[in-house]
Amino acid sequence: MSLTIVKAGIFDTVQDLGRPGYGNWGINPGGVMDRYAAQLSNILVGNDPGEVVIEMHYPGPQILFDQNALLSITGADFTPVINDQPVSLWQPILVRKNTLLQFTQWKQGARCYLAIHGGLTIKKWLDSYSTNMKAGMGGWMGRRLEKGDEINFGQSSIYYAGLLKKERDLQPLGWKAAYAKVYDQPNEILFMPGPEWDQLHNISKNDIEHEAFSIHSLSDRMGYFLKGIPITSTVKSEMLSAGVSFGTIQLLPNGQLVILMADHQTTGGYPRLGNIVSAHLPKLAQLRPGDEVKFTRTDISTAEKLLYSHQQELNIIQRACRCNLNRLIC
Amino acid sequence: MQQWFSTRNFTEIKDLIIAYSSLTIIYDPWLVLKQNPAAGSAFEWIRAKIEQSFADPYVVDDREGSFYRIPVCYNSEFGVDLEAVSEFTKRSVTEIIGIHQSKIYRVYMLGFLPGFAYLGKLDASLYMPRKEIPVGVTAGSVGIASNQTGIYPLTSPGGWQIIGRTPVNLFDATVSPPAKFQTGDHIQFYQITKEEFERT
């Protein structure tokens, strides 16, 4: 059972929730940029939330399904079309073999996720399916997807042919996930001060909390470079390298900021001014070069509550999807 | 402290990143609360564990680590920044090579790239800051930056001043552990010719 990349997108990779735990070897955890959309994508098709997905940017790929499949697309809206029929995001869809998925128009967001029931048949590297481009390992042969790639996917317990109506190539299943809350107020980003926050001049602390910053065109999965009012520190000497994570805000020597994203390195030598709260990383991951970021400082209690509410949403949707899928199979 | 945490195998803790004078603990707040419902706040649970690790009379296994002698070809073809370093430090290339080889360096931490070991301390006479703008660096390149030296295990953009190249493979993803060096190891460099480099 497989899918074929008929035309490669600008940057599509196989990812999951990453491989934390190998910092000792300098191996960064990687993983999807938008963890909420990726997990929901899996949940909608009855997979474990951490199952492997394909992360796509715009322009997206053209993918031919060589076999029947149950899939879902979440995250950014690139106007997915299956055999010329537009389909919805955030919904499980049954497709017949020999159908083509493509993305015809950018509407919103930066990256979208494709999950297939049963997952992709790929070997793990260091406990994860995520692609590590630097090491050339993990994911699909350690690289982005290219034309002609044929990726197998798992056998399914769902009898598709019985559910697909005779004259139809695709059949959306009757439920959609609610997701809007997570991406609400897309430019308002909460952060907590970091270890070097207090080295900043007071005026710079004020600027970070009141000025808008825009995302530079050179931003990518490793980091979002920001353009904005120069930020200054009272400390002039170079810092010893120290641990960083997804969402760490660093101060560069030229006074500009960078937010480390999914492919961040494990350590960094620039002052760590703060960390984006985990619950806001999904909506940050959907911002693109040219978009604005407005930072608001918050506290640990707010950050934890937000994260738990998202996790609870995922759990509720997962239970509902399981119920619905089981009813279909029976 | 890293040993205190890693020997206890907390499933709530996803990674422990050791650096020169810090330890970063990456944890899953949802998992902390799920497995410790009485905790109230995941952060407070971690803070309590950190405080416990300080209080515990735990004896650190101060392993000496392994000692490696690493061959380096310090010619102008591989050491693309040798001239620039010579000009900045006011030392001849021969002196630079001699000073670089004279010390035994400690591996303080890994980071930046898979298998990239931060070695110190570099002799103060070779002090030179990083490049302002990173350039492409070939795998095996030996670099210096401020009071550190190191080897790029993979071809990558980099900002360190490159003074030579080693034929030794520092990162092999097909074996375990894939990184040759670990924190606590000791390294000394020795010079080889280009012919010897090519023979390896």
Side-chain angles (χ1 to χ4, degrees):
Chain A
M1 300 187 94
S2 67
L3 57 87
T4 305
I5 305 296
V6 167
K7 185 174 175 194
I10 195 167
F11 192 74
D12 316 314
T13 50
V14 169
Q15 302 287 353
D16 60 10
L17 299 180
R19 55 178 65 81
Y22 297 99
N24 275 345
W25 295 341
I27 297 172
N28 50 311
V32 296
M33 286 279 273
D34 181 345
R35 293 169 76 91
Y36 195 80
Q39 291 183 87
L40 250 188
S41 188
N42 276 313
I43 284 169
L44 284 165
V45 297
N47 289 345
D48 275 340
E51 187 54 82
V52 59
V53 294
I54 297 177
E55 179 181 85
M56 301 171 281
H57 295 79
Y58 192 82
Q62 287 180 9
I63 301 179
L64 179 71
F65 288 88
D66 305 311
Q67 298 294 336
N68 297 342
L70 175 63
L71 60 86
S72 77
I73 302 160
T74 60
D77 187 353
F78 300 154
T79 317
V81 165
I82 294 178
N83 279 9
D84 301 322
Q85 294 172 69
V87 294
S88 292
L89 280 82
W90 311 99
Q91 180 172 32
I93 306 169
L94 272 171
V95 300
R96 194 183 290 284
K97 74 184 222 179
N98 294 329
T99 51
L100 183 76
L101 165 67
Q102 55 187 326
F103 300 88
T104 57
Q105 189 190 359
W106 174 84
K107 286 216 182 87
Q108 188 187 17
R111 54 262 314 167
C112 70
Y113 297 89
L114 171 68
I116 295 166
H117 175 82
L120 304 175
T121 312
I122 297 183
K123 268 175 66 180
K124 285 185 175 180
W125 178 60
L126 297 180
D127 296 317
S128 163
Y129 297 111
S130 286
T131 307
N132 187 312
M133 301 285 291
K134 285 257 160 71
M137 296 293 296
W140 181 253
M141 303 205 258
R143 60 166 173 78
R144 53 182 276 248
L145 299 182
E146 288 168 7
K147 177 174 168 171
D149 286 341
E150 260 186 51
I151 308 177
N152 288 332
F153 48 87
Q155 286 286 340
S156 172
S157 52
I158 296 173
Y159 177 51
Y160 297 124
L163 291 166
L164 272 169
K165 296 198 176 61
K166 214 166 63 166
E167 67 284 359
R168 304 198 59 179
D169 294 329
L170 63 99
Q171 175 68 55
L173 300 186
W175 57 91
K176 277 180 96 166
Y179 60 91
K181 214 173 59 170
V182 174
Y183 303 96
D184 197 28
Q185 296 185 294
N187 308 88
E188 312 283 326
I189 303 292
L190 292 178
F191 79 99
M192 304 242 329
E196 283 80 50
W197 170 257
D198 280 322
Q199 292 177 2
L200 290 176
H201 286 120
N202 284 329
I203 192 171
S204 280
K205 289 184 187 174
N206 200 58
D207 286 339
I208 287 175
E209 293 186 68
H210 293 98
E211 297 291 319
F213 297 83
S214 77
I215 298 175
H216 199 281
S217 59
L218 292 177
S219 301
D220 60 15
R221 276 181 49 92
M222 268 198 74
Y224 281 7
F225 290 92
L226 300 183
K227 276 191 300 194
I229 194 165
I231 302 298
T232 59
S233 169
T234 58
V235 172
K236 297 303 169 200
S237 54
E238 276 192 11
M239 194 183 102
L240 286 178
S241 287
V244 293
S245 74
F246 187 170
T248 298
I249 308 166
Q250 290 178 310
L251 176 63
L252 299 177
N254 63 2
Q256 299 295 295
L257 303 176
V258 60
I259 307 175
L260 298 181
M261 301 301 279
D263 274 343
H264 66 88
Q265 299 151 0
T266 50
T267 56
Y270 297 126
R272 298 157 297 179
L273 306 186
N275 286 284
I276 310 291
V277 305
S278 303
H280 278 195
L281 290 175
K283 69 176 175 179
L284 182 64
Q286 294 300 346
L287 293 182
R288 307 188 322 146
D291 287 341
E292 270 194 355
V293 173
K294 293 191 206 121
F295 293 112
T296 303
R297 194 174 149 171
T298 188
D299 55 42
I300 191 83
S301 169
T302 307
E304 287 190 356
K305 284 201 184 81
L306 261 178
L307 187 66
Y308 301 147
S309 81
H310 290 182
Q311 189 61 50
Q312 272 157 351
E313 279 286 308
L314 286 177
N315 292 348
I316 290 167
I317 298 172
Q318 187 175 27
R319 280 196 289 274
C321 284
R322 279 209 187 115
C323 249
N324 292 343
L325 279 169
N326 284 337
R327 258 189 271 127
L328 270 186
I329 302 170
C330 301
Chain B
M1 215 173 127
Q2 188 198 30
Q3 281 175 12
W4 190 93
F5 277 100
S6 59
T7 50
R8 280 159 178 74
N9 268 317
F10 294 110
T11 50
E12 300 92 338
I13 289 178
K14 297 298 160 193
D15 214 344
L16 296 160
I17 303 165
I18 202 159
Y20 286 107
S21 55
S22 64
L23 177 69
T24 302
I25 302 172
I26 310 284
Y27 65 97
D28 182 339
W30 174 260
L31 205 56
V32 169
L33 280 201
K34 193 165 140 195
Q35 294 180 178
N36 309 279
S41 156
F43 180 68
E44 292 305 322
W45 184 87
I46 291 277
R47 192 216 286 272
K49 291 278 176 270
I50 292 172
E51 283 167 359
Q52 202 185 329
S53 77
F54 276 129
D56 251 1
Y58 184 77
V59 177
V60 166
D61 160 33
D62 198 14
R63 58 184 289 277
E64 271 302 303
S66 308
F67 175 70
Y68 297 97
R69 290 188 72 241
I70 299 294
V72 180
C73 178
Y74 294 95
N75 69 2
S76 55
E77 180 198 340
F78 295 146
V80 296
D81 299 312
L82 267 172
E83 285 300 325
V85 176
S86 176
E87 208 185 293
F88 186 89
T89 60
K90 309 278 182 272
R91 303 258 167 188
S92 70
V93 168
T94 313
E95 280 182 293
I96 291 167
I97 295 170
I99 294 167
H100 189 248
Q101 292 177 91
S102 64
K103 280 191 90 168
I104 296 179
Y105 302 101
R106 184 178 189 274
V107 178
Y108 280 92
M109 54 186 264
L110 271 76
F112 171 58
L113 281 175
F116 187 100
Y118 287 80
L119 312 178
K121 292 177 189 154
L122 186 68
D123 194 280
S125 61
L126 295 188
Y127 175 91
M128 184 166 173
R130 285 178 184 86
K131 293 174 183 158
E132 290 242 341
I133 300 171
V135 296
V137 176
T138 309
S141 291
V142 176
I144 60 174
S146 65
N147 61 354
Q148 309 161 116
T149 182
I151 310 169
Y152 285 77
L154 306 169
T155 296
S156 159
W160 290 26
Q161 311 289 347
I162 304 303
I163 61 173
R165 197 180 299 174
T166 179
V168 175
N169 187 2
L170 281 267
F171 184 79
D172 182 351
T174 63
V175 303
S176 182
K180 191 179 180 69
F181 300 147
Q182 7 175 357
T183 301
D185 286 345
H186 290 84
I187 313 292
Q188 189 167 23
F189 297 102
Y190 69 95
Q191 187 171 17
I192 57 170
T193 63
K194 177 151 183 205
E195 290 69 39
E196 288 168 315
F197 180 100
E198 262 148 19
R199 258 186 272 134
T200 321

